Amino acid sequence: MKPACERCATHLGWHDAARICSFECTFCPACATAMESVCPNCAGPLVTRPVRERAPLPVAAGLIRRRLGIGGRGTPR
């Protein structure tokens, strides 16, 4: 997920509302509304970006630990 609106550069945290296209071009809700929810890069629709429940780093670290079989959770593939 991109950390800023591509139109106005407003910071967008992983828990903030944002709009994205299928190529993950990212815009704040105000800019998406001003552009009538159409991506200026690909002309695709801008939809609500999923909100993450946890910070990206702990999620990635947990996946890596499970894949490697570290900490007794899961087995390596």
Side-chain angles (χ1 to χ4, degrees), residues 8-29:
C8 71
T10 296
H11 174 74
L12 299 168
W14 53 270
H15 60 280
D16 293 332
R19 307 290 183 266
I20 61 172
C21 72
S22 63
F23 293 100
E24 296 187 17
C25 298
T26 305
F27 301 94
C28 69

Side-chain angles (χ1 to χ4, degrees), residues 47-76:
V47 298
T48 302
R49 178 178 76 174
V51 177
R52 290 189 172 156
E53 297 297 322
R54 296 186 290 172
L57 186 57
V59 171
L63 291 172
I64 291 168
R65 280 194 297 274
R66 282 193 296 280
R67 290 273 172 117
L68 296 176
I70 298 171
R73 296 184 66 184
T75 57

Side-chain angles (χ1 to χ4, degrees), residues 29-58:
C31 286
T33 299
M35 297 183 298
E36 299 180 355
S37 294
V38 176
C39 178
N41 302 320
C42 69
L46 293 174
V47 298
T48 302
R49 178 178 76 174
V51 177
R52 290 189 172 156
E53 297 297 322
R54 296 186 290 172
L57 186 57

